[in-house]
Amino acid sequence: MRSKLIAPSVSIIIPTLNEAAHLGRTLTQLEILDPAAEEVIVVDGGSTDATLTLAHMHGCRVIRSQRKGRAVQMNRGAAAASGEILCFLHADTLVPSDLVQLMATTLADPAVSCGGFLSLMRGARRTRWGVSLHNALKTHYAALLFRPHRYLLNGFRVLFGDQVMFCRRRDFERCGGFDDTLPIMEDADLCERLGRLGRIRQLNRVVESSDRRVVRWGSWKATGIYLMIGLLWGLGVPASKLKRFYGEICD
């Protein structure tokens, strides 16, 4: 028997663009959340594959965005959401079945403004332990290098989309949501603004993301790209220039 939905309610927002190869697995996992989320919102940027068909099959609320881009699409989803907690989830990421409880418990602490998880990159053939370790470490070193006083005094962390960011809707609205002019690093930018409202907490629980970009680039190149992006972002390089290191955001 599924447990009764606890307060506060949760809206899960998934930006998509041609994600049919991964979305079905993610939505299947969301169907066994216990307690369940209030709603799952798929915000699509113009898919030409079976993404929308899958979203409808799984009973998601579907929004078609006239503009594509993760920040734009996630803001559209947040504006339409009814939940008190907003959870931003990539279409290729699997979450623990107690996701809703974990988020509610974390944000029950009024000193916490945002949370996320440990991201494990995994594919059909292997787990990317090295890349996954670097992704965990950069939440610390990016904050320590570029916002040391906030890291040491206020527990500031820099989380990224693969780590399944979540926050209260009122805090999201208070800090202005995602900056939809950013083609990349919109997640780190939101963390920096949410970090002014409270602590950023990374839970000691794992979410699993596809290693598709690592397969394309190779582990060393992928780690180098992620490292370069983080360093340049911290030094103030505009996101429009950083984008060329990462390729298309929603490919």
Side-chain angles (χ1 to χ4, degrees):
M1 178 181 296
R2 294 176 68 85
S3 59
K4 185 178 180 180
L5 178 67
I6 61 171
S9 56
V10 172
S11 294
I12 297 175
I13 299 164
I14 306 176
T16 59
L17 180 62
N18 294 329
E19 291 285 2
H22 302 278
L23 183 62
R25 189 177 68 144
T26 297
L27 295 180
T28 297
Q29 181 69 22
L30 294 180
E31 290 175 345
I32 64 171
L33 294 183
D34 187 10
E38 176 77 13
E39 60 187 350
V40 177
I41 302 174
V42 171
V43 188
D44 191 70
S47 293
T48 56
D49 63 2
T51 294
L52 292 178
T53 299
L54 285 167
H56 285 297
M57 285 175 55
H58 285 270
C60 300
R61 183 178 178 187
V62 175
I63 298 174
R64 299 184 187 225
S65 177
Q66 296 300 313
R67 294 169 56 201
K68 69 178 180 178
R70 278 208 301 258
V72 174
Q73 292 170 227
M74 289 187 292
N75 280 342
R76 283 288 309 277
S82 61
E84 297 168 76
I85 292 176
L86 304 178
C87 173
F88 300 98
L89 176 64
H90 285 186
D92 64 352
T93 300
L94 301 179
V95 298
S97 60
D98 57 346
L99 174 73
V100 170
Q101 179 68 62
L102 290 169
M103 293 189 293
T105 300
T106 301
L107 293 178
D109 182 350
V112 175
S113 61
C114 177
F117 297 82
L118 297 170
S119 176
L120 184 65
M121 280 197 174
R122 178 172 290 170
R125 298 183 179 180
R126 60 187 297 187
T127 299
R128 306 286 178 168
W129 295 108
V131 176
S132 298
L133 176 60
H134 174 254
N135 286 345
L137 292 176
K138 72 181 178 182
T139 67
H140 289 276
Y141 74 67
L144 182 59
L145 286 174
F146 303 111
R147 306 293 184 270
H149 61 292
R150 292 171 63 188
Y151 177 83
L152 295 172
L153 299 178
N154 202 36
F156 177 64
R157 302 283 285 279
V158 179
L159 301 178
F160 299 89
D162 283 340
Q163 292 161 324
V164 188
M165 292 171 59
F166 59 89
C167 62
R168 301 177 191 88
R169 183 170 62 173
R170 66 175 182 270
D171 290 337
F172 181 83
E173 293 171 347
R174 181 180 172 189
C175 73
F178 290 101
D179 182 346
D180 62 15
T181 68
L182 297 179
I184 194 171
M185 298 298 286
E186 77 288 335
D187 38 19
D189 175 75
L190 178 64
C191 263
E192 181 159 17
R193 285 179 284 120
L194 282 171
R196 299 188 186 112
L197 303 181
R199 289 175 45 238
I200 307 291
R201 184 179 172 196
Q202 187 173 32
L203 279 66
N204 190 27
R205 292 288 298 275
V206 170
V207 295
E208 294 183 18
S209 294
S210 166
D211 69 343
R212 52 184 163 169
R213 289 191 179 90
V214 180
V215 170
R216 184 190 314 160
W217 295 335
S219 294
W220 286 107
K221 181 178 179 180
T223 300
I225 289 172
Y226 297 144
L227 177 61
M228 181 67 70
I229 289 172
L231 291 175
L232 293 178
W233 172 77
L235 292 171
V237 175
S240 58
K241 293 185 178 180
L242 292 178
K243 186 175 184 291
R244 67 188 178 90
F245 291 104
Y246 200 60
E248 291 301 320
I249 300 302
C250 292
D251 55 7

